[in-house]
Amino acid sequence: MSKPLVHIQDLCVRYGAKTVLQDLAWTYERGTHWAIGGESGSGKTTLARALANQIPYQGSIELNLSSDKSPSVLYVPNWYQFTNLEGDRNFYYQQRYNTHQGRDTRTVAGELAHFAEQENQALAEALPLVQALGFEQQMDSQLIELSSGEHKKLQLVKALWSNPQLLIIDEPYTGLDKASRKSLNDCIDSLAEQGTQVILLTNDTNLPQCINAFAMVQAGQLQEVASPDDFIVAKPRQSRALPEFLKAAPEATSEQIIQLTNIHVRYGDKTVLEDISWTVNRGDKWVIQGANGSGKSTLLSLINGDHPQAYGLDIRLFGNQRGSGESIWDIKQKIGLISPEMHWYFDQTATVWHTVTSGFFDSIGLYTEASFQQKKQVDELLHFFDLYTVKSELLSTLPLGKQRLALLARTVIKNPPLLVLDEPCQGLDQTQTQYFNDVVDELCQHGKTLLYVGHYESQLPKSIDHRLVLEKGKIVKPQQKHILEERV
């Protein structure tokens, strides 16, 4: 009788005084491919990193893998980390929009060639994966220019190309549009047919056909379940009263919050946005959609003041022409922003309290003393978001769902007239997404204007009443509320 692929006994992992996995046991038989779910912070990632021998642990993990095939175990983390040409990861948030800074990183083609050389892979074998994930148009793009979804594709191309014996992917669908998710599932099925064993850490139910076993991490243990419908996720939200300072209608000096006229953005020969004309009126709630790389994040960067090309374009914000004398901080004071990139680059030493308070000053980290009234508002907001008990903990140590809620609290603490939420629920499960969007709906009852990037109709705030769809940098579908009444 052949040995199981993986046999785990009495696995324990602790971070300081916190026990994450306790006496976990698991036998992973050959021929099965697993989806492992559970609440954010339950220990799924910890289990995966222990399997990949990336963290210290107690207990026994026996891997019965072939000694003549490498790599044996490949763990693919949720977020993609890249470096510049000198191996440095010390990037700042706005750097991706400064093209002279972008020359400091490789192109996608250069990164794949470098990976091929390092891993002794044939570069030609990567091309079918690049095509399958719809990544061909980004081959000449600098790494720092890529959106979060495009970074995810590059990460996945490398992982699938490596063809490991055991492939573990943490939140495989983060940042991917609907078509890319289907293509990824097809690629995983193909890899499984070639002999790779697969573990996906996800609460998603649209899985590759090869996935035939399911389990969840709960109370430090791994429990097998019949299907992903049985995964236990976050508890439904208990509604709380919105703090009084957020019930006041935010100040707005113009009925037109945003007016873009014939906007073009280019990087050298590459056109990112083409002939964009768009008006957002006070109180509008827009969803912005489009495939990965369609220009969504660039469009938002022109609005929130992070893109240097904004000063040469016909852009009016809050009734004022860009470049007519206002500073970038004047603009940011009226905008509350969340994006995957901001989350990536946020100060890893910030506590939850410092994170939320920094929203008053639009800083990545807290460098200014808050007033008594500001501190009072922070505490009120922490209670509203059920974050008060963890206010002294580092943001980076919280489950992803609570990190996003802390960043949403940071976004609204100054009660801005415009909320810009760029894929705010990326990586969250359905219950966490519903919780987040319910809060957004409550916030939007009091005069706020909303721009919300999201791929799935069923995972949008109910208050959305307009839609903008981008395709290859062009507007293809501006729509109003009656178009949005049927959600899928």
Side-chain angles (χ1 to χ4, degrees):
M1 184 176 178
S2 63
K3 293 183 177 180
L5 188 76
V6 178
H7 185 61
I8 299 176
Q9 287 185 308
D10 302 323
L11 178 64
C12 297
V13 178
R14 297 180 178 87
Y15 297 126
K18 182 179 180 181
T19 298
V20 180
L21 301 179
Q22 179 67 47
D23 298 328
L24 184 146
W26 186 31
T27 299
Y28 180 170
E29 299 291 351
R30 298 175 188 276
T32 55
H33 303 280
W34 289 80
I36 298 179
E39 280 193 73
S40 178
S42 61
K44 303 186 296 292
T45 295
T46 296
L47 173 60
R49 295 187 67 199
L51 280 169
N53 200 29
Q54 293 185 359
I55 57 172
Y57 59 84
Q58 295 177 316
S60 169
I61 298 179
E62 179 184 347
L63 299 174
N64 298 303
L65 303 171
S66 173
S67 59
D68 59 358
K69 186 177 185 299
S70 182
S72 54
V73 179
L74 178 61
Y75 167 66
V76 183
N78 187 2
W79 285 351
Y80 179 71
Q81 294 285 335
F82 66 97
T83 64
N84 63 15
L85 296 176
E86 296 179 352
D88 188 10
R89 289 179 177 163
N90 188 26
F91 300 105
Y92 59 88
Y93 171 58
Q94 294 89 350
Q95 191 168 350
R96 64 175 291 204
Y97 304 114
N98 294 326
T99 54
H100 68 281
Q101 296 281 1
R103 306 305 107 185
D104 193 34
T105 59
R106 295 185 181 91
T107 63
V108 171
E111 178 69 10
L112 292 176
H114 178 70
F115 183 79
E117 183 178 357
Q118 279 189 320
E119 303 297 325
N120 195 27
Q121 299 274 25
L123 184 58
E125 294 177 0
L127 297 182
L129 294 168
V130 169
Q131 293 170 350
L133 292 176
F135 205 35
E136 310 100 303
Q137 300 300 316
Q138 282 70 44
M139 292 296 280
D140 294 328
S141 298
Q142 300 286 322
L143 297 186
I144 202 168
E145 296 171 353
L146 301 181
S147 68
S148 59
E150 291 167 334
H151 274 297
K152 189 69 178 182
K153 287 184 179 182
L154 178 57
Q155 180 193 42
L156 291 166
V157 166
K158 287 182 176 182
L160 298 169
W161 183 16
S162 298
N163 192 20
Q165 296 181 61
L166 175 58
L167 176 63
I168 309 171
I169 309 181
D170 198 342
E171 298 296 347
Y173 308 109
T174 297
L176 297 186
D177 57 52
K178 188 173 182 179
S180 298
R181 292 184 179 205
K182 182 180 184 306
S183 296
L184 174 61
N185 284 347
D186 292 342
C187 289
I188 291 173
D189 282 330
S190 177
L191 203 63
E193 289 178 2
Q194 298 171 38
T196 293
Q197 301 290 146
V198 177
I199 300 175
L200 303 183
L201 308 183
T202 179
N203 288 313
D204 208 292
T205 57
N206 296 314
L207 298 168
Q209 292 183 6
C210 68
I211 300 297
N212 55 9
F214 309 92
M216 63 182 181
V217 180
Q218 184 182 23
Q221 302 282 317
L222 191 69
Q223 302 179 16
E224 293 189 34
V225 295
S227 78
D229 294 329
D230 298 320
F231 291 156
I232 294 178
V233 294
K235 295 178 181 178
R237 175 175 180 257
Q238 292 184 344
S239 182
R240 293 175 178 267
L242 194 68
E244 288 299 320
F245 74 91
L246 288 178
K247 293 180 181 179
E251 294 183 12
T253 58
S254 172
E255 281 301 313
Q256 287 188 343
I257 301 296
I258 301 165
Q259 187 173 15
L260 309 180
T261 305
N262 300 325
I263 298 300
H264 296 262
V265 173
R266 297 182 179 90
Y267 302 137
D269 296 332
K270 181 181 178 182
T271 297
V272 181
L273 293 176
E274 183 175 356
D275 196 25
I276 301 293
S277 294
W278 180 39
T279 299
V280 176
N281 294 314
R282 183 164 59 178
D284 285 352
K285 314 294 188 297
W286 285 83
V287 61
I288 303 171
Q289 296 178 316
N292 297 132
S294 60
K296 302 184 299 296
S297 294
T298 301
L299 177 65
L300 296 183
S301 72
L302 295 172
I303 294 165
N304 63 42
D306 288 325
H307 203 299
Q309 292 190 36
Y311 291 99
L313 301 174
D314 190 354
I315 299 175
R316 297 183 68 86
L317 300 178
F318 308 101
N320 297 317
Q321 185 74 32
R322 280 299 306 269
S324 60
E326 86 288 4
S327 72
I328 188 173
W329 303 112
D330 293 329
I331 296 169
K332 287 183 176 295
Q333 185 60 32
K334 299 175 183 177
I335 299 175
L337 170 70
I338 289 179
S339 72
E341 291 81 6
M342 174 174 284
H343 198 164
W344 291 347
Y345 299 130
F346 207 84
D347 183 1
Q348 295 298 299
T349 66
T351 65
V352 172
W353 194 90
H354 286 139
T355 296
V356 177
T357 308
S358 71
F360 283 117
F361 312 105
D362 298 299
S363 57
I364 306 297
L366 184 62
Y367 309 101
T368 305
E369 178 69 22
S371 69
F372 174 81
Q373 181 61 31
Q374 287 172 332
K375 292 177 181 178
K376 181 174 179 292
Q377 289 180 198
V378 170
D379 285 346
E380 289 178 12
L381 205 50
L382 289 172
H383 280 295
F384 175 72
F385 281 105
D386 289 322
L387 294 171
Y388 191 81
T389 58
V390 295
K391 69 176 185 177
S392 298
E393 296 185 23
L394 294 180
L395 178 72
S396 57
T397 64
L398 297 186
L400 184 59
K402 288 187 179 295
Q403 289 186 40
R404 288 293 164 78
L405 287 173
L407 289 174
L408 179 59
R410 175 189 182 275
T411 297
V412 302
I413 187 65
K414 59 189 178 183
N415 196 24
L418 175 62
L419 296 182
V420 179
L421 309 184
D422 185 359
E423 297 196 59
C425 298
Q426 198 178 89
L428 305 189
D429 62 40
Q430 291 183 0
T431 305
Q432 291 170 326
T433 296
Q434 187 64 56
Y435 185 119
F436 188 98
N437 287 335
D438 285 348
V439 172
V440 171
D441 282 330
E442 287 187 35
L443 293 167
C444 285
Q445 291 176 7
H446 301 279
K448 285 183 173 54
T449 304
L450 175 66
L451 305 183
Y452 189 107
V453 175
H455 290 298
Y456 284 81
E457 301 299 318
S458 59
Q459 297 179 2
L460 299 176
K462 294 182 176 63
S463 56
I464 295 291
D465 53 17
H466 293 72
R467 186 205 316 264
L468 183 80
V469 179
L470 291 174
E471 183 177 313
K472 296 181 180 179
K474 296 181 180 180
I475 294 177
V476 295
K477 203 178 294 182
Q479 298 175 336
Q480 299 203 357
K481 187 172 184 178
H482 66 282
I483 305 293
L484 297 174
E485 288 177 350
E486 291 188 13
R487 293 175 182 262
V488 295

